[in-house]
Amino acid sequence: MICGSVASCRLTEDELAARAVAAIVGAMTQDAILERLSAALGPKGVTADNETLAPWLTDWRGRITGSAIALVSPKNREEVQSVVRIAGEAGVPIVPQGGNTGMVAGGVPRPHDQAILLSLRKMDAIRSVDPGDNSITVEAGTILSRVHATAAEHDRRFPLSLGAKDSATVGGLIATNAGGTQVLRFGSMRALTLGIEAVLPDGSLFEGLSTLRKDNRGYDLRQLLAGAEGTLGVITAASLRLVPAAPHRCVAWLGLETAPNALATLRRLEAALGDAVESFELVPEAALALVLQHIADTRAPLEKAHRWNVLVELRAASDPEGLRTRFETALGEILSTGLIADAAIAESEAQADALWKLRETIAEAERIDGMAAKHDVSVPVSAMPDFVEDATKAVEQRFAGARVVAFGHLGDGNVHFNVRAPAGADDKAWFAETGGAVNRFVHDLTHAAGGSLSAEHGIGQLKLAEFARLADPARLAALRAIKQALDPGNIMNPGKLIPLDNSAENP
Ligand code: FAD
Ligand code: MLT
Ligand code: ZN
């Protein structure tokens, strides 16, 4: 529950717990906690300065502003252990944070938390690269684009990318089990994470850094920590899977009129080009228009506007000419069937980058344009094209004037089904009044289609109530039991991912 004054709100179990925490913090004074943190990390590792803290307390979408008694920036895993032990003794919540690019406000405290915000950004060492093993081991604060660059120096690549690649960290990517634009071929972060080192809620170090491809020693703690959104521990380092470099790419922009045609096009391209097809991203006319309006140095890639667009990327280790020829032939055949109406293939790396910019800046363009009810839904891949078309009609019928912008990872059965206020409406007022109903409507449609309300962004704070509403009881009970077993004091990122009861309201 988020509201201006906690006193005026009905308290959830979580908030009652937070109040208990506040009472304990009262017992060990805030000053005493800060002193202990400074003694453990040195004065440069701890700040309670409001101006320094402020940018890290609000999430990327600007939806939640949390409260913290301090921002701590450990330099190594031992310092992380000290912070976790101090927080445990004081009963203060810890919120792990990487680049703060998350979409569900998981990396910022709740408004009443008075948390310790634990930034991993100083822990960004590349510990090792082993080309023979196709693996890289890095600290959790390492930024994704640096992992890409380091792998490339060794003639390898790390095959996961997303629009926030220059800010998102490995710890945050693992903690959210991020997806991105190459899941089609390589899977999400879980599939690419070989080993994890983490500080658990009791301050112990889980030394799970390993590059083993096979390891059947029971429950997989690595896979529990991945996607746990910082609720089970602080990831301090990870070993990641690399794949051979594939320096040759063909990037194309397609224009077409229906979402089912887009999926049919993907299947034809796969039949012709196999797993050279690495990315297949759906961009509706409205999303492209937002990018062209708000993002500098962008221009329409095709002569005419189309209801739908697709960005396709193919990759190959060798024979770029052969790849290009086969791509042109396949596209020619697909054009002749009428599945696509137009296509432009990038003639240079600069043109390929320009096409990717149109896709990767959609989130930023939407943010500049105003508030949206964002949904990160998945349904079976084969059902997604009809889902997009039918759900769009249903939303537009139910909420007069609402504008749907559904874009993203069609080949993974995952789109960001965002709903914007009617043209000319006060978006904040519309969102405050209608946003909750829109969320429930879209999630009900997703649920009915056998889908998930979180395909790749996680639950965080923003999806908590909807998760509680729609998840099956056995799933919730298992999540709560695991959380209770590993973090009985509920100090690790409380109020995120795990609904303590079903009464939380959507912020
Ligand atoms: P933060 O935002 O700082 O944290 C995210 C969560 O992870 C929080 O719950 C936090 O507590 C936890 N966490 C962070 N570090 C640690 C750690 N070391 N140990 C334990 N827990 C930790 N996501 C996709 O999946 N696919 C996309 O295509 C995609 N595109 C994006 C494009 C843009 C422009 C933006 C802004 C975001 C996008 N995202 C996408 C969101 C994505 O979740 C984040 O980019 C990324 O996964 C989070 O990394 P971060 O370091 O910023 O984590
Ligand atoms: C994307 O695919 O661009 C991201 O997941 C960001 C978003 O959903 O806005
Ligand atoms: Zn996405």
Short mmCIF file of all heavy atoms in Angstrom, two decimals, residues 359 409 414 416 456-457, ligand 3:
data_model
loop_
_atom_site.label_atom_id
_atom_site.label_comp_id
_atom_site.label_asym_id
_atom_site.label_seq_id
_atom_site.Cartn_x
_atom_site.Cartn_y
_atom_site.Cartn_z
N ARG A 359 14.17 0.69 -31.88
CA ARG A 359 13.57 -0.33 -30.99
C ARG A 359 13.94 -0.07 -29.53
O ARG A 359 13.10 -0.14 -28.63
CB ARG A 359 14.02 -1.72 -31.44
CG ARG A 359 13.83 -2.82 -30.41
CD ARG A 359 12.36 -3.03 -30.08
NE ARG A 359 12.16 -3.96 -28.98
CZ ARG A 359 12.05 -3.61 -27.71
NH1 ARG A 359 12.08 -2.33 -27.35
NH2 ARG A 359 11.86 -4.53 -26.78
N HIS A 409 8.86 -8.60 -27.57
CA HIS A 409 9.56 -9.82 -27.91
C HIS A 409 8.58 -10.88 -28.41
O HIS A 409 8.33 -11.89 -27.73
CB HIS A 409 10.32 -10.28 -26.67
CG HIS A 409 10.93 -9.14 -25.88
ND1 HIS A 409 11.97 -8.39 -26.36
CD2 HIS A 409 10.60 -8.59 -24.68
CE1 HIS A 409 12.29 -7.45 -25.47
NE2 HIS A 409 11.47 -7.54 -24.44
N ASN A 414 6.16 -12.68 -25.59
CA ASN A 414 6.17 -11.64 -24.55
C ASN A 414 6.07 -10.25 -25.19
O ASN A 414 6.91 -9.88 -25.99
CB ASN A 414 7.49 -11.75 -23.75
CG ASN A 414 7.83 -10.56 -22.86
OD1 ASN A 414 9.02 -10.30 -22.65
ND2 ASN A 414 6.86 -9.85 -22.34
N HIS A 416 5.12 -6.01 -24.25
CA HIS A 416 4.85 -4.98 -23.24
C HIS A 416 3.56 -4.30 -23.68
O HIS A 416 3.55 -3.48 -24.60
CB HIS A 416 6.03 -4.03 -23.13
CG HIS A 416 7.29 -4.79 -22.80
ND1 HIS A 416 7.40 -5.54 -21.66
CD2 HIS A 416 8.43 -5.00 -23.49
CE1 HIS A 416 8.55 -6.16 -21.64
NE2 HIS A 416 9.20 -5.85 -22.75
N GLU A 456 9.34 -10.75 -17.91
CA GLU A 456 10.78 -10.52 -17.78
C GLU A 456 11.15 -9.41 -16.79
O GLU A 456 12.31 -9.28 -16.45
CB GLU A 456 11.41 -10.21 -19.15
CG GLU A 456 10.82 -8.99 -19.84
CD GLU A 456 11.57 -8.59 -21.12
OE1 GLU A 456 12.41 -9.36 -21.60
OE2 GLU A 456 11.29 -7.49 -21.63
N HIS A 457 10.21 -8.62 -16.32
CA HIS A 457 10.58 -7.51 -15.45
C HIS A 457 10.54 -7.86 -13.97
O HIS A 457 11.10 -7.14 -13.15
CB HIS A 457 9.67 -6.29 -15.69
CG HIS A 457 9.85 -5.69 -17.04
ND1 HIS A 457 8.90 -4.88 -17.62
CD2 HIS A 457 10.87 -5.76 -17.93
CE1 HIS A 457 9.34 -4.48 -18.81
NE2 HIS A 457 10.52 -5.02 -19.02
ZN ZN B 3 11.25 -6.12 -22.87
#
